Amino acid sequence: MTERDIDDLPRNTANYTALTPLWFLERAATVYPNRKSLIHGSVEYTWQQTYNRCRQLASALNKRSVTFGSTGSLGVTGKFAPCDQEVTVSSRGNNLRQKCKVAVIAPNAPALYEGHFGIPMAGAVLNAVNVRLNAQTIAFLLGHCSAAVVMVDQEYFTLAEEALKVWENNSKGKFKAPLLIVIADKNCDPIPVQYALEKGAIEYEKFLETGDPGFSWKPPEDEWQTIDLGYTSGTTASPKGVVLHHRGAYLMAISNAVIWSMQEAAVYLWTLPLFHCNGWCFIWTLAAICGTNICLRQVTAKAVYSAIVHLGVTHFSAAPVHSRRFSSSICSCLHTYGRSETYGPSTLCTWKPEWDLLPPDVQARLHARQGVRYVGLEHLDVVSTKDMKPVPADGKTVGEIVFRVKHPDGYIEIKDRSKDIIIPGGENISSVEVENILYLHPAILEVSVVARPDEQWDESPYAFVTLKPDVKKTDQQKLAEDIINFSRSKLPKYWVPKSVVFGPLPKTATGKIQKHLLRTKAKEMRPVKKSRL
Amino acid sequence: MTERDIDDLPRNTANYTALTPLWFLERAATVYPNRKSLIHGSVEYTWQQTYNRCRQLASALNKRSVTFGSTGSLGVTGKFAPCDQEVTVSSRGNNLRQKCKVAVIAPNAPALYEGHFGIPMAGAVLNAVNVRLNAQTIAFLLGHCSAAVVMVDQEYFTLAEEALKVWENNSKGKFKAPLLIVIADKNCDPIPVQYALEKGAIEYEKFLETGDPGFSWKPPEDEWQTIDLGYTSGTTASPKGVVLHHRGAYLMAISNAVIWSMQEAAVYLWTLPLFHCNGWCFIWTLAAICGTNICLRQVTAKAVYSAIVHLGVTHFSAAPVHSRRFSSSICSCLHTYGRSETYGPSTLCTWKPEWDLLPPDVQARLHARQGVRYVGLEHLDVVSTKDMKPVPADGKTVGEIVFRVKHPDGYIEIKDRSKDIIIPGGENISSVEVENILYLHPAILEVSVVARPDEQWDESPYAFVTLKPDVKKTDQQKLAEDIINFSRSKLPKYWVPKSVVFGPLPKTATGKIQKHLLRTKAKEMRPVKKSRL
């Protein structure tokens, strides 16, 4: 102890292993080989089967040279262009290889779940694509990540086909056709599968058969290696690439289990899309707790209630839509918030037992706050935009761009996304606060407030409103005036929307209102004329 | 994406933070400032208070130059010898500093809990000492780690004083008196505290007062840094040093929460000593789940039952003693196994629901297995001692030294520690298997079987037995014969103990039988004479 300090001990295989969620799957297959891992309609798998299928997928990909980025020496067949970026050697002598990217375009179904393990087990990187994107955007993503393989559910095959055409057209001769795998669903019409096979795709189950279920996969040597390349949902702008490493996926998966009190053998219903931030990493959490995944091809209220009643669902996630009809006798509700860049949820509005005694409206206000940081997160604060120093925790001071108000109890609350703030003559208006007031109006089901050009104020609030089904929609002019008068009684004068328009609101695949589309729409409108008042 | 690979993204403060369990405390104080963190008799603290006290401790230590290992420039007073090892600079230009070690000799009480946060917050390393060790062994530990500070509970002050004398005598003039802090307990006799103060010690609460409760502590720059230096319990030999890093403590703490299904706000009763492998890292787990610690100065059955009834205890740990009177209506029981070198528990005999229907003796056999690996552990296997390759999972093949038999379902079972194996003429005898048979004898409460020299067989089994309280102990010779005959009916001939001796068994502070002491005792006996049979 005197010659060498204890901090100086060398790392070795006995005291250091790269963190990766892939081990969770191997463990689940060892501990609960016969427990149900995934139920998808009439298709059911055990953890042993899921592990075997993931190893088959990894093995089959490796046989097609889809791995850390070899030059295709392992037997490429047919039209397939393997990942063939250069293998480089760093100055420290380590191989710095480019990993192949495997894009998956699929709803919540076994293949996408398996891809989260099998693709990184092959040494490749998963890119789970939002199925609600259009062909142009998908083409951008596939080209951006140079996808070596595209796995696509039969329902989305023509969409993928179109995206590949766009990609090829945009690539200026550099396009290399990826390996196309079509995922058939026996509960669906077989015609699209037949069409895909004719177009040269290989069927997913056939592809798995080319792999070895006992495949000896290699965990990452460095936990910093990439497991997934995702893209932001595009709520505020066009998608941005987000790189997740094995370490982060492991930590987030295990934090989920702690924060959500998910005990071993929990049954998780996939109402959240698996492609959305890798299902907030719950995909890997389920393997860590040896639980059961319930996948629904179509997330309908009927299917959700049926799964809750018949399959013993213990947990599910949902995006907030401003409908306040929770049946507290069925479930307790946790409010969580996060971003793709933070592996999904990163704050939780932890409910305190003493709040149970408060009046419902106070409870709702407390619960609407984004709350405190996740157990796996080390830093969360609200800072002043001027000096980046923390703002006082007074529940009033508005601070840094994303996390907006810090309450005296340390809970934060989002007042607005920076892009959604409306700036009439330099005075900021929180569009979220205007919306919160409008939601109190009895006729409003959903509302989104954005900036519209204004002759006098440069920008002024403009409300897009969806009315409740039972509201008479005959006299919309009168309804709009009523809503404006209603907000006048509750908001500062310059916060009151200058105009209201009715109709359905555009939403992302995860149910979030796409404010940037409304903002663009409003921007193109003629400016509001100078007020006579 | 084509110029630079996605694996190549640089680490920065936005995407990388060193893992450390210290953040759990800051989070608990933010989320639940008023929730009880620790209850110790009439002393109760909230998470805000615990956080403040830990910061005070860190600040007070830093003021005494107890940190990463400065040379005492920060104002050393009185008799105190700060940590003054050389500051060296590595070839890579990083400071490689020797951290100060702070030894704590205390039962389960607030100061030891606080030490697990406050000492690493000061940049120093905790050494939690087993209070049941004798002065010679404690002297060895203090000297081995060059303790700069010794915090000692009033009950153990004279023990510490004696240990310091031994350390000084053994140090050949190199001894530097550590800073002595005496931890007073207001529920105990004040005389030992008075004595300690006269001997130059400072009282713990007075020491805290010299620190700043708002102290701005620094998390470790590298998660590989040492948080704790422990010593093995000495079940098989003299204590061995075990170095824990922040990363491992973090991962183990969070794995505990998942594996033990410890929901937020769980109430954990400290029957396990805090000094034992840092309470298997549950110390940090409790902060992660914002739970409540219940400390007992004396762990008595009465105190345990009282805490369960009155304080809402949800979890506690216990070392196995072969008493089988579990009241299944009070709690469910998890069998876990681990070593100091693995941060505490590393296997768990995960109970499968289908086992509920099996007969009790089969359940007991299944439950007695050490089981499958922890969720935070990546590797566990049983290997052949010949080629270090995994043994078949047939429930019979005995393999590598520590983990002994792997069942077909992947559960492992310890047959014996390598040091406890008895080798009569080259044929191994598992002392544990002999003990398991002897435990079936109606008169036996506890038994330990070790090797005794044998003229004919080199070694033969020898049984140390504690009888049940209600057994007539008058004719011990007859009882011994009866036990030997009993085992003859159930064991291979050469496995049958040649002799039986009665009396209490020596145990470690954690309730484990100290077989090495019995082994030494048996070794010194005269060899068993050649049998006439």
Side-chain angles (χ1 to χ4, degrees):
Chain A
M1 283 298 150
T2 47
E3 248 81 89
R4 192 171 76 163
D5 190 71
I6 54 175
D7 286 0
D8 213 356
L9 296 175
R11 294 177 201 205
N12 57 48
T13 52
N15 64 20
Y16 182 87
T17 309
L19 299 177
T20 169
L22 302 180
W23 284 117
F24 296 152
L25 176 57
E26 188 268 339
R27 183 179 177 274
T30 303
V31 181
Y32 289 109
N34 301 317
R35 182 179 284 170
K36 291 273 177 293
S37 55
L38 192 147
I39 299 174
H40 176 60
S42 59
V43 177
E44 299 191 356
Y45 295 116
T46 64
W47 280 111
Q48 185 66 60
Q49 289 172 323
T50 293
Y51 184 40
N52 291 355
R53 287 171 62 83
C54 292
R55 283 185 290 182
Q56 280 184 289
L57 175 56
S59 165
L61 287 169
N62 273 189
K63 283 182 180 171
R64 300 290 192 127
S65 304
V66 178
T67 175
F68 289 94
S70 70
T71 49
S73 58
L74 292 172
V76 184
T77 57
K79 291 172 65 182
F80 169 52
C83 181
D84 59 359
Q85 285 114 339
E86 284 297 298
V87 173
T88 59
V89 177
S90 82
S91 58
R92 285 183 301 168
N94 298 324
N95 280 323
L96 264 186
R97 295 175 294 189
Q98 296 227 341
K99 289 184 169 185
C100 292
K101 283 84 184 181
V102 178
V104 184
I105 306 170
N108 290 353
L112 182 50
Y113 190 83
E114 289 155 10
H116 278 79
F117 295 93
I119 293 166
M121 277 173 170
V125 171
L126 167 68
N127 168 224
V129 178
N130 181 339
V131 297
R132 297 209 190 167
L133 297 176
N134 60 26
Q136 282 68 30
T137 311
I138 294 176
F140 167 78
L141 304 187
L142 298 179
H144 187 262
C145 73
S146 313
V149 181
V150 176
M151 281 168 52
V152 55
D153 181 88
Q154 61 172 79
E155 185 180 339
Y156 302 93
F157 186 80
T158 51
L159 176 68
E161 207 183 8
E162 200 186 330
L164 289 175
K165 271 184 209 152
V166 176
W167 177 14
E168 185 168 9
N169 289 340
N170 293 346
S171 67
K172 298 168 189 167
K174 286 185 180 174
F175 176 74
K176 284 176 186 171
L179 174 67
L180 255 183
I181 299 172
V182 63
I183 305 157
D185 188 329
K186 62 167 99 166
N187 301 315
C188 299
D189 185 352
I191 290 174
V193 180
Q194 198 50 46
Y195 174 78
L197 298 179
E198 283 162 15
K199 291 285 182 171
I202 181 169
E203 203 283 307
Y204 181 66
E205 295 296 327
K206 291 277 175 221
F207 184 70
L208 287 192
E209 281 170 19
T210 68
D212 172 10
F215 178 62
S216 178
W217 59 279
K218 296 262 184 311
E221 283 169 24
D222 184 340
E223 65 198 32
W224 192 254
Q225 284 178 9
T226 305
I227 189 169
D228 177 88
L229 170 63
Y231 289 87
T232 58
S233 63
T235 312
T236 58
S238 57
K240 295 180 290 288
V242 176
V243 171
L244 304 193
H245 47 61
H246 284 261
R247 171 189 168 97
Y250 176 102
L251 294 172
M252 192 64 190
I254 207 142
S255 291
N256 276 337
V258 174
I259 283 277
W260 288 61
S261 291
M262 291 179 81
Q263 303 206 357
E264 202 200 66
V267 179
Y268 184 83
L269 176 65
W270 283 100
T271 47
L272 177 76
L274 287 162
F275 63 70
H276 181 65
C277 308
N278 309 100
W280 297 349
C281 297
F282 277 104
I283 291 168
W284 298 302
T285 302
L286 267 288
I289 61 167
C290 308
T292 301
N293 295 277
I294 312 294
C295 286
L296 304 174
R297 191 169 183 88
Q298 299 288 348
V299 180
T300 62
K302 191 183 166 191
V304 167
Y305 287 120
S306 168
I308 290 171
V309 173
H310 300 298
L311 298 172
V313 169
T314 58
H315 296 75
F316 67 94
S317 313
V321 284
H322 266 272
S323 164
R324 298 186 178 185
R325 282 168 290 172
F326 281 110
S327 164
S328 60
S329 61
I330 288 181
C331 58
S332 63
C333 175
L334 283 178
H335 179 195
T336 186
Y337 166 77
R339 302 185 296 171
S340 300
E341 295 89 331
T342 60
Y343 294 74
S346 47
T347 73
L348 182 88
C349 187
T350 299
W351 192 254
K352 297 187 175 177
E354 59 266 34
W355 295 348
D356 287 344
L357 303 171
L358 298 173
D361 61 324
V362 178
Q363 287 195 5
R365 270 212 313 280
L366 289 170
H367 217 160
R369 301 182 301 170
Q370 278 61 41
V372 293
R373 73 170 197 263
Y374 235 53
V375 70
L377 187 75
E378 277 73 22
H379 295 287
L380 173 68
D381 214 337
V382 179
V383 298
S384 158
T385 46
K386 285 177 192 160
D387 56 7
M388 300 302 276
K389 286 187 180 155
V391 300
D394 55 12
K396 286 176 193 162
T397 310
V398 174
E400 215 268 299
I401 302 167
V402 183
F403 301 102
R404 281 280 149 177
V405 168
K406 187 166 63 166
H407 290 259
D409 56 1
Y411 282 51
I412 65 155
E413 182 173 357
I414 293 176
K415 283 300 177 186
D416 219 341
R417 289 169 181 268
S418 60
K419 292 182 188 175
D420 295 338
I421 283 197
I422 302 160
I423 310 171
E427 291 285 348
N428 288 3
I429 297 175
S430 155
S431 67
V432 173
E433 292 215 3
V434 178
E435 289 159 11
N436 283 342
I437 291 300
L438 291 180
Y439 271 116
L440 299 174
H441 189 281
I444 291 180
L445 178 70
E446 286 179 332
V447 60
S448 186
V449 172
V450 297
R452 178 179 171 177
D454 190 294
E455 283 186 359
Q456 184 173 13
W457 300 106
D458 194 29
E459 283 183 8
S460 63
Y462 186 77
F464 288 87
V465 166
T466 308
L467 293 167
K468 289 184 180 166
D470 55 349
V471 174
K472 262 193 193 169
K473 295 171 188 77
T474 43
D475 193 351
Q476 298 208 344
Q477 178 62 29
K478 197 170 166 296
L479 262 172
E481 277 169 23
D482 187 55
I483 288 168
I484 290 170
N485 285 333
F486 177 83
S487 34
R488 257 194 208 120
S489 68
K490 296 176 189 295
L491 285 170
K493 202 163 145 192
Y494 70 101
W495 285 46
V496 175
K498 289 274 161 46
S499 34
V500 176
V501 70
F502 301 101
L505 304 180
K507 288 183 190 163
T508 67
T510 56
K512 292 194 280 180
I513 294 167
Q514 289 174 300
K515 229 170 187 175
H516 68 289
L517 297 182
L518 298 175
R519 209 164 42 232
T520 309
K521 207 167 169 180
K523 223 177 218 166
E524 291 161 357
M525 289 178 177
R526 59 181 169 72
V528 176
K529 287 195 179 158
K530 267 197 179 177
S531 160
R532 282 162 299 167
L533 293 174
Chain B
M1 283 298 152
T2 48
E3 248 80 89
R4 194 172 75 165
D5 191 72
I6 54 175
D7 286 1
D8 214 354
L9 296 175
R11 296 180 197 203
N12 59 48
T13 51
N15 63 20
Y16 182 88
T17 309
L19 299 177
T20 169
L22 301 180
W23 284 117
F24 296 151
L25 175 58
E26 187 268 339
R27 183 179 178 275
T30 303
V31 182
Y32 289 109
N34 301 318
R35 182 179 285 169
K36 292 274 177 293
S37 55
L38 192 148
I39 299 174
H40 176 59
S42 60
V43 177
E44 300 191 356
Y45 295 116
T46 64
W47 280 112
Q48 185 65 60
Q49 288 171 324
T50 293
Y51 183 40
N52 290 354
R53 287 171 62 83
C54 292
R55 284 185 289 183
Q56 279 184 291
L57 175 55
S59 164
L61 287 169
N62 273 190
K63 284 183 180 170
R64 298 293 192 125
S65 303
V66 177
T67 176
F68 290 94
S70 71
T71 50
S73 59
L74 292 170
V76 185
T77 57
K79 292 171 65 182
F80 169 52
C83 180
D84 60 358
Q85 285 113 341
E86 285 296 299
V87 174
T88 58
V89 177
S90 82
S91 56
R92 285 183 302 167
N94 299 325
N95 279 325
L96 265 185
R97 295 175 293 189
Q98 297 227 342
K99 289 184 169 186
C100 293
K101 283 83 183 181
V102 178
V104 184
I105 308 170
N108 290 353
L112 182 49
Y113 190 84
E114 289 154 9
H116 278 78
F117 295 92
I119 293 166
M121 277 173 170
V125 172
L126 167 68
N127 168 223
V129 178
N130 182 338
V131 297
R132 297 211 190 163
L133 298 175
N134 59 26
Q136 282 68 30
T137 312
I138 294 177
F140 167 78
L141 304 187
L142 298 180
H144 186 263
C145 73
S146 314
V149 181
V150 175
M151 280 168 53
V152 56
D153 181 89
Q154 61 172 78
E155 185 180 338
Y156 302 93
F157 186 80
T158 52
L159 175 69
E161 207 183 8
E162 200 186 330
L164 288 174
K165 271 182 207 150
V166 176
W167 176 16
E168 184 167 10
N169 289 340
N170 293 345
S171 67
K172 297 167 190 168
K174 286 185 179 173
F175 175 74
K176 285 177 184 168
L179 175 66
L180 255 182
I181 300 171
V182 63
I183 306 157
D185 188 328
K186 61 169 97 166
N187 302 314
C188 299
D189 186 352
I191 290 175
V193 181
Q194 199 49 48
Y195 174 78
L197 298 179
E198 282 162 15
K199 291 287 182 168
I202 180 169
E203 203 282 308
Y204 181 66
E205 296 295 329
K206 290 274 175 222
F207 184 69
L208 287 192
E209 282 171 19
T210 68
D212 173 11
F215 178 61
S216 176
W217 59 280
K218 295 261 186 310
E221 283 169 24
D222 184 340
E223 64 198 34
W224 192 253
Q225 284 180 8
T226 305
I227 188 169
D228 177 87
L229 170 64
Y231 289 88
T232 59
S233 63
T235 312
T236 58
S238 58
K240 295 181 289 289
V242 176
V243 171
L244 304 194
H245 47 63
H246 284 263
R247 171 189 168 96
Y250 176 101
L251 293 173
M252 191 66 189
I254 206 142
S255 292
N256 277 337
V258 174
I259 284 277
W260 289 61
S261 290
M262 292 180 80
Q263 303 205 358
E264 202 200 67
V267 179
Y268 185 83
L269 176 65
W270 282 101
T271 47
L272 178 77
L274 287 162
F275 62 69
H276 180 63
C277 308
N278 309 100
W280 297 350
C281 296
F282 277 104
I283 291 168
W284 298 303
T285 302
L286 266 288
I289 60 168
C290 308
T292 302
N293 296 276
I294 312 294
C295 286
L296 303 174
R297 193 170 182 88
Q298 299 289 346
V299 179
T300 62
K302 192 182 165 190
V304 167
Y305 287 120
S306 168
I308 290 171
V309 172
H310 299 298
L311 298 172
V313 169
T314 57
H315 296 75
F316 66 94
S317 314
V321 285
H322 267 269
S323 165
R324 298 186 179 184
R325 280 168 291 174
F326 279 111
S327 164
S328 60
S329 63
I330 288 181
C331 58
S332 63
C333 174
L334 282 177
H335 179 195
T336 186
Y337 166 76
R339 302 185 295 173
S340 300
E341 295 90 331
T342 60
Y343 294 75
S346 46
T347 73
L348 182 88
C349 187
T350 297
W351 191 254
K352 297 187 175 176
E354 58 266 33
W355 295 349
D356 287 344
L357 303 171
L358 298 172
D361 60 325
V362 179
Q363 287 195 3
R365 270 212 313 280
L366 290 170
H367 217 159
R369 301 183 300 171
Q370 278 62 41
V372 292
R373 73 171 197 263
Y374 235 54
V375 71
L377 188 74
E378 276 73 23
H379 295 287
L380 173 68
D381 213 338
V382 180
V383 297
S384 158
T385 45
K386 286 177 191 161
D387 57 8
M388 299 304 275
K389 285 186 181 158
V391 300
D394 55 13
K396 286 176 191 161
T397 311
V398 173
E400 215 267 300
I401 301 165
V402 183
F403 301 102
R404 281 281 150 179
V405 168
K406 187 166 62 165
H407 291 260
D409 57 359
Y411 282 52
I412 66 155
E413 183 172 356
I414 293 176
K415 284 300 178 184
D416 220 342
R417 287 168 182 270
S418 60
K419 291 183 186 173
D420 295 338
I421 283 199
I422 302 160
I423 309 171
E427 292 285 348
N428 288 5
I429 296 175
S430 155
S431 66
V432 173
E433 292 214 6
V434 178
E435 288 159 11
N436 283 342
I437 291 300
L438 290 180
Y439 270 116
L440 300 174
H441 190 281
I444 291 179
L445 177 69
E446 286 179 332
V447 60
S448 186
V449 172
V450 296
R452 178 179 170 176
D454 188 295
E455 283 186 358
Q456 185 172 11
W457 299 107
D458 194 28
E459 283 182 10
S460 63
Y462 186 77
F464 288 88
V465 166
T466 308
L467 293 167
K468 288 183 180 166
D470 55 351
V471 174
K472 264 194 190 169
K473 295 170 188 75
T474 42
D475 193 349
Q476 298 209 344
Q477 179 62 28
K478 198 169 165 294
L479 261 173
E481 278 169 21
D482 186 55
I483 287 168
I484 290 170
N485 287 333
F486 176 83
S487 35
R488 256 193 209 120
S489 67
K490 296 177 187 293
L491 285 171
K493 203 163 143 189
Y494 70 100
W495 285 46
V496 174
K498 289 276 164 43
S499 34
V500 176
V501 69
F502 301 101
L505 304 181
K507 290 184 188 160
T508 67
T510 55
K512 291 194 281 180
I513 295 167
Q514 287 172 303
K515 229 169 186 175
H516 69 288
L517 296 181
L518 297 174
R519 209 165 42 233
T520 309
K521 206 167 171 180
K523 222 177 219 165
E524 290 163 357
M525 288 179 177
R526 58 178 171 71
V528 177
K529 287 195 178 158
K530 266 197 182 177
S531 160
R532 283 163 298 169
L533 293 174

